[in-house]
Amino acid sequence: ETGVTQSPTHLIKTRGQQVTLRCSSQSGHNTVSWYQQALGQGPQFIFQYYREEENGRGNFPPRFSGLQFPNYSSELNVNALELDDSALYLCASSLERGKHTQYFGPGTRLTVL
Amino acid sequence: AQSVTQPDIHITVSEGASLELRCNYSYGATPYLFWYVQSPGQGLQLLLKYFSGDTLVQGIKGFEAEFKRSQSSFNLRKPSVHWSDAAEYFCAVYNSGAGSYQLTFGKGTKLSVIP
């Protein structure tokens, strides 16, 4: 059974640029959630996708957007990068939406200069 | 909205000593609670979870946690710490809003282990 995978591992961008992060969910899981973890903080919920539709969003601006594909993999897109976007971005998948355990990938470390 | 508080930012214990990491939550009904562990630069690994039933929950790597409704707590324990347990530990609770269940995390407790 393959776990949650994320790419790339690390990324360096400059302010104002756009970035796309990718996540492959665990086999059999149809729900993907994205979290942002700033240095020294706990992860914060960005949004969740269920069967290709956004299914809930945290307190993040619209320049954070996402997609989920028919195979349930997902992308997180961030436009107009700001310095404060520097963080570890974590993807988690779960069997279904609702109160199911979320399993996390290794994360993508984004640095904005 | 539900919230989680981890009162201890950093804890240092000697190898072989017992460990207790504190977690307090705020929620009106029965919460769904989790403990995750994060090694430096890594993602989160699930240690254990509480959904219902027995209030003492066993997890991986010899960890256990006890749900105490009267104290709004879900403390993580281990009887004998190993050097490899040095990591950051996060308590989390399921928050429901706008049709989705998302995890709300505490700020974490960093565990250092002295040989």
Side-chain angles (χ1 to χ4, degrees):
Chain A
E1 181 180 282
T2 306
V4 179
T5 60
Q6 292 185 245
S7 63
T9 305
H10 294 90
L11 205 50
I12 299 175
K13 291 286 188 178
T14 56
R15 196 169 47 182
Q17 284 189 312
Q18 177 266 341
V19 68
T20 297
L21 311 182
R22 295 177 176 83
C23 170
S24 291
S25 59
Q26 191 166 315
S27 177
H29 289 190
N30 62 23
T31 302
V32 172
S33 303
W34 286 92
Y35 294 82
Q36 181 196 65
Q37 185 179 19
L39 203 60
Q41 301 294 316
Q44 285 199 301
F45 175 71
I46 303 174
F47 44 55
Q48 182 180 87
Y49 277 83
Y50 168 71
R51 295 186 180 273
E52 304 178 59
E53 297 285 335
E54 186 177 289
N55 182 53
R57 188 179 185 92
N59 189 25
F60 281 81
R63 58 189 186 84
F64 285 77
S65 63
L67 281 174
Q68 188 179 31
F69 300 99
N71 66 354
Y72 304 130
S73 66
S74 177
E75 285 182 356
L76 164 65
N77 299 290
V78 188
N79 293 322
L81 283 167
E82 301 177 359
L83 297 179
D84 285 348
D85 296 333
S86 294
L88 182 68
Y89 288 85
L90 295 164
C91 165
S93 75
S94 53
L95 193 63
E96 285 282 341
R97 62 180 176 178
K99 296 176 183 176
H100 291 270
T101 302
Q102 295 187 14
Y103 296 91
F104 284 81
T108 294
R109 171 72 63 187
L110 172 64
T111 301
V112 182
L113 302 176
Chain B
Q2 302 174 58
S3 64
V4 170
T5 302
Q6 294 181 247
D8 305 304
I9 297 172
H10 191 184
I11 285 182
T12 300
V13 300
S14 298
E15 192 168 16
S18 64
L19 171 70
E20 183 169 30
L21 302 182
R22 297 183 290 164
C23 172
N24 294 99
Y25 66 88
S26 67
Y27 186 56
T30 300
Y32 288 65
L33 294 159
F34 303 81
W35 275 100
Y36 286 88
V37 61
Q38 185 176 39
S39 297
Q42 302 297 311
L44 301 173
Q45 182 182 22
L46 178 69
L47 284 176
L48 49 77
K49 63 186 177 186
Y50 173 77
F51 279 13
S52 65
D54 194 347
T55 57
L56 185 61
V57 179
Q58 302 296 322
I60 63 171
K61 303 185 180 187
F63 285 93
E64 66 177 26
E66 187 170 12
F67 171 64
K68 293 186 177 179
R69 184 188 301 276
S70 62
Q71 298 177 20
S72 297
S73 69
F74 187 57
N75 294 348
L76 182 71
R77 301 193 295 244
K78 186 170 185 178
S80 178
V81 169
H82 188 261
W83 65 266
S84 60
D85 293 325
E88 189 142 24
Y89 292 79
F90 292 94
C91 182
V93 64
Y94 254 140
N95 231 330
S96 62
S100 73
Y101 283 92
Q102 68 251 190
L103 290 169
T104 296
F105 287 86
K107 293 189 175 183
T109 298
K110 183 177 180 180
L111 173 66
S112 297
V113 180
I114 301 172

